[in-house]
């Protein structure tokens, strides 16, 4: 799925490190699941829990993976605008899963009603159809996941868990649901989870705390608009 901050380009690098720490009785907890690129690569013989504070996103994933729901594959701009207006008005005209589907499948760069309507480019490339195809390919690998929605610190965790966190990155563009993120509170929560016996990993460009140790890194190319790119370094930290 097209998702701001997707880990698609680095998942093959970080998964062996985390899965190498998994024991048979441990749960894998994706505390900021987003587009689910990471947790879909966790073998289903482990207990898998996925959480996100965007209730529309979680409702979408849960319905896609637990029911025979057939979401719309044609999303004209008029329908997109109608659902977007309902979402902003919170008027209850559409259910959460439908709002999540339209918002993530048809918004430019998958930015959930923040980036405008996706549609086609000048050469006729159908970005919405492409996004839908890629998303539906994920569904078989997401079967059996336990879905949760809310703040990361409201999760009720099994006794022994590996917690993967992909929070909003410092000083970068974020979704409206993750703006004003409290990093100090998050770092303290990670420390408490470590004290409680859990294994914690965090993706970031930089964590300015000495007790968070970088165990993996890779430079990636990020596009800003149509012609501007930069090359930050993705890092995986643990405590």
């Amino acid at each position: 799925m097209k998702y701001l901050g997707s880990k698609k380009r680095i998942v093959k690098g970080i998964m062996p490190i985390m899965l190498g720490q998994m024991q048979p009785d441990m749960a894998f907890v994706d505390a900021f699941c987003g587009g689910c690129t990471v947790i879909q690569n966790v073998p289903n013989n482990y207990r898998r829990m996925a959480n996100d504070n965007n209730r529309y996103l979680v409702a979408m994933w849960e319905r896609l993976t637990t029911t025979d729901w057939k979401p719309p594959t044609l999303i004209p701009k008029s329908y997109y605008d109608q659902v977007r207006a309902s979402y902003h008005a919170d008027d209850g005209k559409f259910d959460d899963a439908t709002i999540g589907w339209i918002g993530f499948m048809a918004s430019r760069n998958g930015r959930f009603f923040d980036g405008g309507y996706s549609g086609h480019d000048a050469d006729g490339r159908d970005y919405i159809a492409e996004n839908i195809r890629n998303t539906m390919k994920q569904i078989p690998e997401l079967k059996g996941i336990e879905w949760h929605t809310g703040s990361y610190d409201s999760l009720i965790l099994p006794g022994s868990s590996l917690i993967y966190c992909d929070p909003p990155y410092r000083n970068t563009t974020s979704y409206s649901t993750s703006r004003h993120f409290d990093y100090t509170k998050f770092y303290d929560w990670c420390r408490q989870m470590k004290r409680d016996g859990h294994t914690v990993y965090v993706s970031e460009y930089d964590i300015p705390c000495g007790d968070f140790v970088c165990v993996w890194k890779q430079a990636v190319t990020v596009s800003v608009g149509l012609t501007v790119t930069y090359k930050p370094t993705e890092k995986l930290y643990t405590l």
Side-chain angles (χ1 to χ4, degrees), residues 10-12 40 57-58 81 85 96-97 102 104 134 167 175 201 203 210 214 229:
I10 69 169
V11 67
K12 290 183 179 179
Q40 79 176 71
L57 175 70
V58 174
D81 290 341
D96 286 359
I102 301 302
F104 282 105
N134 290 336
Y175 286 108
Y201 285 93
S203 283
C214 177
T229 62

Side-chain angles (χ1 to χ4, degrees), residues 1 4 11 31 37 44 51 65 77 89 92 103 107 111 115 119 122 126 128 134 145 147 149 171 175 182 210 233 237:
M1 185 179 97
L4 181 67
V11 67
T37 301
N44 61 13
N51 177 76
T65 57
K77 188 175 186 303
S107 294
R111 291 197 58 201
D126 190 337
I128 295 175
N134 290 336
I145 286 176
W147 300 100
T149 185
N171 304 315
Y175 286 108
D182 188 333
T233 300
Y237 289 88

Side-chain angles (χ1 to χ4, degrees), residues 10 21 58-59 72 81 88-89 94 109 114 119 137-138 159 163-164 168 172 174 194 222 224:
I10 69 169
Q21 299 300 312
V58 174
D81 290 341
H88 285 299
F94 298 92
N109 294 322
D114 280 349
K137 288 178 183 177
Q138 293 180 253
I163 309 169
Y164 172 68
T172 62
S174 62
K194 174 69 172 178
V222 177
V224 182

Side-chain angles (χ1 to χ4, degrees), residues 198-213:
H198 303 296
T199 302
V200 181
Y201 285 93
V202 183
S203 283
E204 245 289 13
Y205 291 155
D206 183 58
I207 297 181
C209 305
D211 53 340
F212 284 80
V213 179

Side-chain angles (χ1 to χ4, degrees), residues 33-97:
C33 67
C36 290
T37 301
V38 170
I39 199 165
Q40 79 176 71
N41 284 279
V42 178
N44 61 13
N45 57 296
Y46 293 111
R47 181 178 178 183
R48 299 182 296 169
M49 299 171 59
N51 177 76
D52 201 277
N53 72 340
N54 187 322
R55 76 176 202 255
Y56 307 101
L57 175 70
V58 174
M60 180 196 80
W61 282 130
E62 185 167 24
R63 186 176 292 181
L64 285 169
T65 57
T66 63
T67 74
D68 294 326
W69 184 43
K70 303 296 183 185
T73 55
L74 296 176
I75 308 175
K77 188 175 186 303
S78 58
Y79 184 49
Y80 174 85
D81 290 341
Q82 184 182 5
V83 177
R84 183 176 185 271
S86 178
Y87 160 69
H88 285 299
D90 195 20
D91 58 16
K93 291 181 179 179
F94 298 92
D95 61 80
D96 286 359

